[in-house]
Amino acid sequence: MPAVTVENPLTLPRVSAPADAVARPVLSVTTAPSGFEGEGFPVRRAFAGINYRHLDPFIMMDQMGEVEYAPGEPKGTPWHPHRGFETVTYIIDGTFDHQDSHGGGGTITNGDTQWMTAGSGLLHIEAPPESLVMSGGLFHGLQLWVNLPAKDKMMAPKYQDIRGGSVQLLTSPDGGALIRVIAGELDGHQGPGSTHTPITMIHATLAPGAEVTLPWREDFNGLAYVLAGRGSVGAERRPIRLGQAAVFGAGSSLTVRADETQESRTPDLEVVLLGGRPIREPMAHYGPFVMNTKDELMQAFEDFQKGRLGTVPAVHGMSAEGPDA
């Protein structure tokens, strides 16, 4: 970890918050519980226990792995439906194949991102390629769910294939942080991901002892999740470590710092930073559907059961009778 990097960050554009920026306080730090998803791959539920008013427009995020699979062990998800939101799958290490019932899909690996706008609904499957199943190997990634406003929930499905080499790379003034802008904008630098709900998604790597203070849109919320390592968040230096999420309060900048000493297997602090403009609409969420009302949820289930969300391509068989989260 990570796949997308540079030898000398000081060759990159530098970003820092202005001197008069208002530091965002840290409202909470929570620890993600562990569980299993799909056919049994390990995940950490990054946002478990965080009030939705702090997450909006984000719904949930799973850290998939980090796990070293033995031959025959790699797992994915069976065919399942989605409606009403976007799924963002970011692969840090390993390989995942994706296919959906609208013809979207492809293979993502080592720094690539698959951005699927489910919109009015589709079926999709995510699985390791047969070569990885046979050989085993390292697998590590994230899946983030981003809500869609009511006006976009029934839009036509869309698929974006974001290659790791296309992300916007930035650094801190002293070069101690490598900042990857996957989607949205940071200090005038635009990431490749196109979003319907305004958000910013960043993966930052901080060397031991490095600190970065980033400008942050005041109309966005602010979240940090640690993928690896130890550090602190906020001007108050609230401790944070692998598997923990921080919620920031109001302000125009946020600060992350790496501890001077890290574990040998994770030499740097790896953190995902998320911000988005809250949608502030009623949300009805159950399993693979995220709508505005209970009636819309019921309609989504009916449409799925009657085949209106698409059909599995003939070369595949439906491996699950009902919807899967």
Side-chain angles (χ1 to χ4, degrees):
M1 180 205 285
V4 181
T5 188
V6 294
E7 277 192 25
N8 182 9
L10 290 173
T11 62
L12 301 172
R14 304 181 197 190
V15 60
S16 63
D20 60 352
V22 177
R24 287 177 173 247
V26 178
L27 302 182
S28 67
V29 173
T30 56
T31 300
S34 296
F36 294 91
E37 186 54 85
E39 296 170 335
F41 57 85
V43 298
R44 287 186 173 94
R45 308 290 191 188
F47 295 158
I50 300 176
N51 190 296
Y52 181 65
R53 66 189 175 91
H54 297 310
L55 297 177
D56 185 13
F58 307 108
I59 301 163
M60 57 145 274
M61 186 168 73
D62 283 345
Q63 180 181 9
M64 305 180 295
E66 180 178 5
V67 58
E68 184 75 40
Y69 283 122
E73 285 187 345
K75 300 174 177 67
T77 65
W79 282 94
H80 59 282
H82 285 307
R83 172 181 278 180
F85 64 102
E86 301 183 285
T87 66
V88 182
T89 306
Y90 173 49
I91 298 299
I92 301 165
D93 292 295
T95 306
F96 234 24
D97 286 340
H98 164 79
Q99 185 179 5
D100 67 46
S101 55
H102 281 252
T107 298
I108 52 174
T109 184
N110 297 346
D112 297 337
T113 302
Q114 160 206 299
W115 201 294
M116 187 183 79
T117 304
S120 60
L122 44 61
L123 307 178
H124 83 142
I125 186 172
E126 296 165 299
E130 187 63 27
S131 59
L132 181 62
V133 175
M134 296 295 290
S135 67
L138 184 63
F139 182 78
H140 190 199
L142 285 176
Q143 185 166 98
L144 172 71
W145 288 14
V146 185
N147 202 4
L148 287 169
K151 67 181 181 64
D152 292 331
K153 282 193 178 293
M154 296 300 287
M155 68 179 294
K158 179 183 175 184
Y159 179 83
Q160 297 176 66
D161 186 22
I162 303 170
R163 293 296 155 185
S166 70
V167 302
Q168 175 68 62
L169 298 180
L170 308 169
T171 191
S172 52
D174 64 359
L178 177 59
I179 300 159
R180 304 165 194 80
V181 185
I182 297 169
E185 175 266 343
L186 180 66
D187 197 29
H189 300 278
Q190 191 73 35
S194 173
T195 69
H196 296 278
T197 303
I199 72 165
T200 296
M201 180 180 181
I202 290 167
H203 173 194
T205 300
L206 281 74
E211 180 177 289
V212 63
T213 298
L214 300 176
W216 211 251
R217 282 180 50 166
E218 292 188 68
D219 60 334
F220 277 21
N221 59 0
L223 302 159
Y225 178 76
V226 176
L227 295 165
R230 297 186 304 236
S232 59
V233 285
E236 61 269 47
R237 293 195 175 185
R238 183 89 172 262
I240 194 168
R241 56 175 170 78
L242 165 65
Q244 291 188 322
V247 174
F248 291 91
S252 56
S253 72
L254 55 81
T255 298
V256 180
R257 185 179 189 280
D259 285 355
E260 296 279 355
T261 303
Q262 301 287 336
E263 296 177 6
S264 58
R265 66 181 298 272
T266 54
D268 301 311
L269 174 67
E270 303 285 349
V271 60
V272 172
L273 301 172
L274 295 168
R277 189 168 67 204
I279 296 173
R280 295 195 177 96
E281 293 177 351
M283 185 179 73
H285 171 205
Y286 188 81
F289 305 125
V290 183
M291 304 304 291
N292 293 101
T293 67
K294 184 177 178 181
D295 286 347
E296 290 171 344
L297 271 185
M298 298 297 290
Q299 185 64 54
F301 275 107
E302 180 182 329
D303 289 347
F304 167 58
Q305 290 164 351
K306 293 187 175 180
R308 297 174 187 144
L309 270 60
T311 56
V312 176
V315 293
H316 293 279
M318 192 72 168
S319 52
E321 291 299 324
D324 177 270

